[in-house]
């Protein structure tokens, strides 16, 4: 879910908005097995909804593509995600393979995935503005790719079974039936295709704080821990390769930008930014706890379609 900055880091506002208003929200994310359409949750189970994301994206500036080699402390999260993607694609021939990002609206990751791994990229989103912004991101980056505006649960037939990889950043946790959403995502994969799912850890510290500072945002999530995410993938028919918590902490997800009046919000964001940078600097020196269910902000899961 992190977007990237100039070669670089996200502005504090972008970092904060990124996960709590997960950029990749499966704007209609779902996936059925090719013979299981009737078992797939419909977009009626979407706790956020198209109107929500259209409003969110209309208030956001267009991010620059992720660059894992940019310098600066704010690259901490992006570089951690980069390491997860490198691991996820181990043993795969990625050059020329087809990759689809579900809930791609305003994603800074599609250009990155094309540049770093050589994928032929496509994106799917159910918001018109999200698709427009994603096309602009790709155009600015000079990266070719198709962006399709459609409901994830009702895909164009030409996309069914057409991809080697599906990426879902901050999508599945917005649907009441997690396995049903994953089943819908799987429909886009070829047999043996790989899915990479990332969600915020709303069962841990991020969720607890967000519940207090930004209840509306908390309420559009289904809190999932690593075990629940793994179980949902298995229930959807995937073979889980690995799943883990990522990073020890990320204060930028605490939703402080949504609290109270401006006189309280501005210093709260500033204080959180300072804390975030200190924690990231300490983590680089191995001086903070290892990723864990309580304080870690993100969860990754990598699985294959059977």
């Amino acid at each position: 879910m992190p977007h990237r900055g100039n070669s670089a880091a996200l502005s504090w506002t972008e970092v904060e908005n990124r996960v709590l208003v997960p950029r990749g929200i499966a704007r209609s994310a779902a996936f059925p097995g090719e013979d299981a359409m009737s078992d797939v949750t419909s977009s009626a189970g979407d706790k956020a909804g198209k109107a929500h994301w259209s409003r969110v994206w209309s208030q956001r500036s267009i991010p620059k593509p992720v660059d894992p080699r940019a310098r600066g402390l704010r690259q901490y999260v992006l570089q951690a995600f980069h390491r997860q993607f490198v691991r996820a694609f181990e043993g795969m021939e990625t050059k020329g393979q087809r990759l689809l990002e579900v809930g791609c609206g305003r994603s800074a990751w599609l250009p990155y995935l094309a540049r770093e791994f050589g994928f032929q990229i496509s994106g799917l989103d159910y918001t018109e503005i999200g698709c427009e912004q994603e096309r602009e991101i790709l155009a600015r980056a000079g990266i070719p790719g198709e962006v399709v505006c459609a409901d994830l649960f009702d895909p164009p037939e030409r996309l069914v079974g057409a991809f080697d990889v599906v990426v879902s950043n901050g999508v599945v946790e917005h649907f009441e039936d997690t396995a049903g959403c994953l089943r819908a995502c799987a429909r886009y994969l070829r047999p043996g295709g790989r899915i990479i799912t990332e969600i915020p850890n709303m069962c841990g510290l991020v969720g607890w704080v967000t519940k207090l500072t930004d209840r509306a945002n908390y309420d559009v999530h289904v809190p999932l821990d690593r075990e629940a995410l793994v179980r949902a993938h298995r229930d959807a028919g995937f073979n889980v390769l690995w799943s883990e918590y990522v990073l020890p902490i990320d204060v930028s997800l605490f939703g402080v930008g949504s609290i109270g009046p401006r006189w309280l919000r501005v210093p709260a964001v500033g204080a959180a930014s300072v804390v975030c940078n200190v924690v990231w600097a300490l983590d680089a020196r191995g001086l903070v706890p290892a990723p864990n269910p309580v304080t870690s902000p993100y969860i990754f899961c990598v699985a294959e379609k059977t």
Side-chain angles (χ1 to χ4, degrees):
M1 307 197 114
H3 298 312
R4 113 305 251 330
N6 205 14
S7 103
L10 304 171
S11 66
W12 174 262
T13 301
E14 285 193 330
V15 174
E16 180 177 58
N17 287 335
R18 181 188 59 229
V19 169
L20 287 195
V21 169
R23 86 170 212 329
I25 260 12
R27 327 44 300 273
S28 148
F31 118 52
E34 277 148 56
D35 58 351
M37 228 8 204
S38 61
D39 295 329
V40 177
T41 300
S42 75
S43 53
D46 185 350
K47 289 174 69 72
K50 181 177 178 179
H52 171 81
W53 293 112
S54 295
R55 182 175 66 257
V56 168
W57 299 150
S58 68
Q59 298 168 355
R60 302 284 190 272
S61 59
I62 294 178
K64 296 178 180 178
V66 170
D67 180 357
R69 293 167 187 78
R71 301 176 66 85
L73 277 176
R74 293 189 187 281
Q75 285 293 108
Y76 171 83
V77 176
L78 302 182
Q79 289 166 357
F81 273 58
H82 171 63
R83 291 191 293 272
Q84 298 301 311
F85 278 117
V86 169
R87 181 184 174 192
F89 297 134
E90 282 179 347
M92 282 187 65
E93 175 54 59
T94 59
K95 187 176 178 60
Q97 298 295 291
R98 295 194 67 191
L99 177 147
L100 175 72
E101 181 175 6
V102 297
C104 74
R106 194 179 164 278
S107 170
W109 289 99
L110 272 178
Y112 153 85
L113 291 162
R115 285 174 172 167
E116 291 294 320
F117 303 102
F119 283 110
Q120 296 180 32
I121 55 167
S122 298
L124 181 75
D125 199 282
Y126 65 5
T127 65
E128 290 79 5
I129 187 171
C131 289
E132 290 170 7
Q133 291 181 343
E134 188 57 34
R135 293 184 187 108
E136 180 65 21
I137 290 169
L138 293 176
R140 291 182 183 183
I143 300 292
E146 180 184 24
V147 178
V148 179
C149 190
D151 189 321
L152 206 120
F153 293 87
D154 186 21
E157 190 60 33
R158 63 188 176 80
L159 300 184
V160 174
F163 296 92
D164 304 286
V165 176
V166 165
V167 172
S168 162
N169 279 333
V171 169
V172 304
E173 77 279 11
H174 295 278
F175 289 83
E176 293 173 353
D177 181 355
T178 309
C181 180
L182 286 164
R183 221 173 272 118
C185 293
R187 190 163 184 235
Y188 296 86
L189 284 170
R190 296 170 179 149
R194 193 165 297 189
I195 186 169
I196 302 169
T197 307
E198 179 275 325
I199 64 171
N201 178 20
M202 299 300 277
C203 287
L205 186 61
V206 166
W208 306 339
V209 176
T210 304
K211 194 172 184 178
L212 296 173
T213 60
D214 192 0
R215 184 55 190 256
N217 185 36
Y218 178 84
D219 287 343
V220 300
H221 291 77
V222 174
L224 300 166
D225 60 14
R226 187 184 70 85
E227 288 71 25
L229 185 63
V230 167
R231 186 166 56 250
H233 280 78
R234 288 174 177 159
D235 289 347
F238 283 106
N239 174 37
V240 176
L241 302 180
W242 57 267
S243 180
E244 65 183 24
Y245 291 98
V246 177
L247 296 178
I249 194 169
D250 186 356
V251 181
S252 71
L253 301 189
F254 286 179
V256 293
S258 300
I259 64 175
R262 181 176 175 80
W263 64 267
L264 180 60
R265 183 170 63 251
V266 171
V269 170
S273 181
V274 171
V275 170
C276 216
N277 284 328
V278 169
V279 170
W280 293 350
L282 292 174
D283 184 40
R285 293 165 175 76
L287 300 177
V288 295
N292 62 85
V294 176
T295 65
S296 290
Y298 309 103
I299 309 170
F300 260 75
C301 185
V302 178
E304 288 184 346
K305 181 177 179 178
T306 57

